Each structure stands twice: as C-alpha cells, then as structure tokens.
Amino acid sequence: MKSLTEHLWFNTSKRIEFINITGKVGELVKKSGIKEGLVLVNAMHITASVFINDNESGLIEDYREWLAKLVDPKGYYKHNLTGEDNAYAHLMRTIMGREVVVAVTDGKLDFGPWERIFYLELDGQRKKRVLVKVIGE
Ligand code: ZN
C-alpha cells in the first residue's frame, strides 16, 4: 500500500470564509501516484470544517445565512466567558462536520456530478491547516 500525507495551510482575511479546495486535493492525489484508494481530508482545528457540496455562489450565501440563524455569532455562550469569542465557530463546526473521505478511482477524485470539496473557515485571520491523506495502490 502507498500513502501520501500533506497539509494545506490557510490564513483567511475574513473571519468566516468558504474556500473550494477541490483542485488542491486533486493535485495531491495525482502527486501520490495512487490509482485506486481513498483520500481523507480533515480540518486540524475545532473551529473549521471540511465538507462537500455544490460550488454555487447562491448556495454559499444560503449556507452563511442558515448557519447564522442556527448559531448567532453575537449570542451569549458560556465558552466565551473563558475570554474567547469563538463559541459560535465551535458550534458551526459541529454542524458542518470535521472531514470528508473521497474515493480515488483511476488516479482521480471519484465524485458525483456536482460534488466539490470546501474548507470552511469559521474563526479565521490566523494560520490554520487541513490534513490530506491519500492511501491505496
Ligand atoms: Zn474556543
């Protein structure tokens, strides 16, 4: 079995940002030389998510509004009594998930028609990373 482990680094200018990382993950699959296997992509921080959905700008805005309805960024949270102000980011991260696993078939990401991989920064403006691990043969 072969494997490749790498990190993608982010330092977003906004506190909440959606970043399509499909191309970068695809490049790492290519670099791995693996033809049949799996790729795991996970946020290495508890205030960021990795998820799969459509790369459509209206939908991204819908996600923003939906998350803000579920978790008011300016609400009262006990976590913020520690001196932090990112309780909303922890809660949103749990809603959007930690990681995705995508099949690698014939050396490529094996997606449904509109599937794309997103990094969702929820408490940005600092250096954060995503783990990409490709395993297979
Ligand atoms: Zn926190």
Side-chain angles (χ1 to χ4, degrees):
M1 190 196 76
K2 288 197 279 191
S3 75
L4 174 85
T5 303
E6 293 213 10
H7 294 92
L8 302 175
W9 288 90
F10 301 91
N11 194 348
T12 60
S13 58
K14 289 180 226 142
R15 197 126 189 235
I16 297 181
E17 216 163 304
F18 291 73
I19 301 170
N20 181 351
I21 59 171
T22 313
K24 286 183 175 169
V25 175
E27 282 167 25
L28 292 176
V29 168
K30 194 173 175 189
K31 182 179 172 185
S32 75
I34 289 165
K35 298 291 173 205
E36 294 296 319
L38 296 170
V39 58
L40 165 75
V41 186
N42 72 267
M44 296 294 267
H45 303 266
I46 53 180
T47 54
S49 292
V50 174
F51 71 97
I52 290 181
N53 219 298
D54 192 356
N55 184 28
E56 193 278 310
S57 58
L59 184 65
I60 300 298
E61 286 311 304
D62 291 336
Y63 270 118
R64 276 183 199 280
E65 290 170 18
W66 177 67
L67 285 169
K69 268 183 217 157
L70 293 173
V71 184
D72 178 3
K74 294 185 167 68
Y76 170 82
Y77 301 103
K78 291 188 177 77
H79 179 61
N80 291 350
L81 300 176
T82 64
E84 294 203 57
D85 63 351
N86 64 0
Y88 77 92
H90 290 280
L91 297 172
M92 287 179 179
R93 188 277 173 112
T94 304
I95 293 166
M96 296 302 287
R98 172 181 182 264
E99 79 279 308
V100 300
V101 176
V102 180
V104 174
T105 304
D106 201 18
K108 289 183 182 151
L109 293 166
D110 197 346
F111 282 135
W114 297 102
E115 289 187 316
R116 299 293 179 269
I117 307 169
F118 287 86
Y119 173 66
L120 171 53
E121 179 58 75
L122 293 161
D123 183 20
Q125 300 169 319
R126 57 202 171 100
K127 235 182 148 192
K128 288 164 91 170
R129 69 201 158 106
V130 163
L131 173 75
V132 180
K133 184 177 281 278
V134 194
I135 58 170
E137 290 182 334

